[in-house]
Amino acid sequence: MAELSYCAQEVRRYDRDRFLTALFAPSRRREDLLALYAFNVEIAKTAEVVSEPMLGRIRLQWWREGIEGLFTGAPRSHPVLDALLPAAREGRVPRMLLDALVDGRELDLEAEPPATLDALEAYAEATSARLLEAASAVLGADEPAARPAACQVGVAWALVGLVRALPFHLRRRRLMLPLDHLAVAGVDQADLFELRGSEGLSGIVMRLCRRASERLQAGRAASPPRAARPALALGVLADAYLRRIERAGYDPFDPRITQPLPAAGWLLARASLLGRY
């Protein structure tokens, strides 16, 4: 087996599901796709590796300037930027979307939880949906027909991911549930930070999961170009995670929810054969 590139190793370590989907991309596009996903890993961890928001903004600004260098002929030295350079030079990764992804990660540095479900979905669009749009472009599907599916599947994937990451975020004193939903359900934030579940919390998780399912259905009705499907294949894994969360009674503190899917590779292989996502 050939040795994995730096980007492939980083994505496999920090974003296993996307790594698996990238294996089903055409070989000529795979390293570009992994470079994009490694870029996302770098900016997504910003809030976790800095001690205060200002340092996070400085770090994101470094990446903005790194993106500028890719497209102006003055690239900075970094393994991820080095790997992104061929796609940038050949116009296979839109600068606008790379910049948008960095802008979206500014939201991770804000202390306030999302006020509404609309605000939470706006965050999901700014991060996950834009990434799927960029991935579709890298795969050769940079056209309007690919964007609706990328947006819908991207938001669904983010909602599922936020549910699964809820214990991790709460341990870091970060709340990513809509405040209006907490108020209606009578869920006390203090209980959440103590990792105490409740019927009201499970109800909120159930509604988020149902919203993710609706988004997946809308994405599948969009009929994107076939070239985009290796990126959109996250929808197959989202379905599997949603089934697991349902079996756990929508309890976000059930340890089964955070576990990776043992059959993820098989699910993706089957979906690839059938042309599904």
Side-chain angles (χ1 to χ4, degrees):
M1 181 177 179
E3 183 178 353
L4 293 177
S5 66
Y6 173 85
C7 289
Q9 292 180 52
E10 290 295 289
V11 179
R12 184 175 66 172
R13 180 180 180 185
Y14 295 107
D15 196 348
R16 175 180 176 271
D17 288 328
R18 281 200 178 90
F19 172 78
L20 292 175
T21 64
L23 299 182
F24 293 89
S27 58
R28 68 184 185 282
R29 304 283 191 180
R30 192 173 301 138
E31 283 301 321
D32 292 337
L33 191 60
L34 288 166
L36 173 66
Y37 290 161
F39 168 76
N40 182 64
V41 166
E42 289 289 344
I43 61 173
K45 68 183 180 182
T46 296
E48 300 170 21
V49 299
V50 298
S51 57
E52 57 183 88
M54 181 55 68
L55 295 177
R57 294 186 180 94
I58 292 172
R59 190 175 192 276
L60 291 176
Q61 182 58 30
W62 189 95
W63 282 102
R64 285 193 187 91
E65 293 170 2
I67 293 168
E68 182 179 10
L70 290 177
F71 292 89
T72 59
R76 286 184 165 177
S77 179
H78 188 283
V80 171
L81 293 175
D82 293 344
L84 272 175
L85 184 58
R89 281 178 171 168
E90 296 169 20
R92 289 184 279 109
V93 58
R95 177 179 176 178
M96 177 182 68
L97 289 176
L98 296 180
D99 286 333
L101 285 169
V102 178
D103 292 344
R105 289 301 168 183
E106 292 271 4
L107 299 171
D108 288 335
L109 303 173
E110 296 181 2
E112 288 299 311
T116 64
L117 177 57
D118 285 345
L120 181 61
E121 290 192 320
Y123 167 80
E125 287 188 14
T127 53
S128 182
R130 295 295 88 80
L131 180 59
L132 278 193
E133 288 182 23
S136 297
V138 166
L139 290 166
D142 184 17
E143 52 191 275
R147 293 169 196 158
C151 182
Q152 298 289 354
V153 174
V155 171
W157 181 252
L159 292 178
V160 173
L162 288 169
V163 168
R164 297 182 64 233
L166 190 61
F168 171 80
H169 286 147
L170 290 174
R171 290 188 187 100
R172 295 179 57 85
R173 310 294 294 181
R174 185 181 179 201
L175 180 57
M176 290 299 292
L177 295 174
L179 291 177
D180 60 345
H181 282 50
L182 294 177
V184 170
V187 176
D188 190 328
Q189 292 188 37
D191 288 337
L192 289 176
F193 291 124
E194 292 297 326
L195 304 185
R196 287 196 288 264
S198 67
E199 185 177 339
L201 176 59
S202 293
I204 293 171
V205 170
M206 180 177 66
R207 286 189 286 277
L208 291 179
C209 288
R210 288 180 177 174
R211 182 59 177 153
S213 293
E214 292 169 0
R215 288 282 198 161
L216 287 172
Q217 291 172 12
R220 288 165 181 146
S223 300
R226 189 174 184 85
R229 290 182 184 176
L232 299 175
L234 286 173
V236 174
L237 303 185
D239 276 333
Y241 283 125
L242 287 168
R243 289 191 293 271
R244 178 182 283 181
I245 295 169
E246 182 180 11
R247 288 195 298 271
Y250 299 102
D251 175 9
F253 303 128
D254 188 311
R256 290 176 292 177
I257 289 178
T258 60
Q259 296 301 309
L261 295 168
W266 182 87
L267 290 172
L268 291 170
R270 181 174 181 271
S272 179
L273 287 172
L274 297 175
R276 295 177 181 172
Y277 59 92

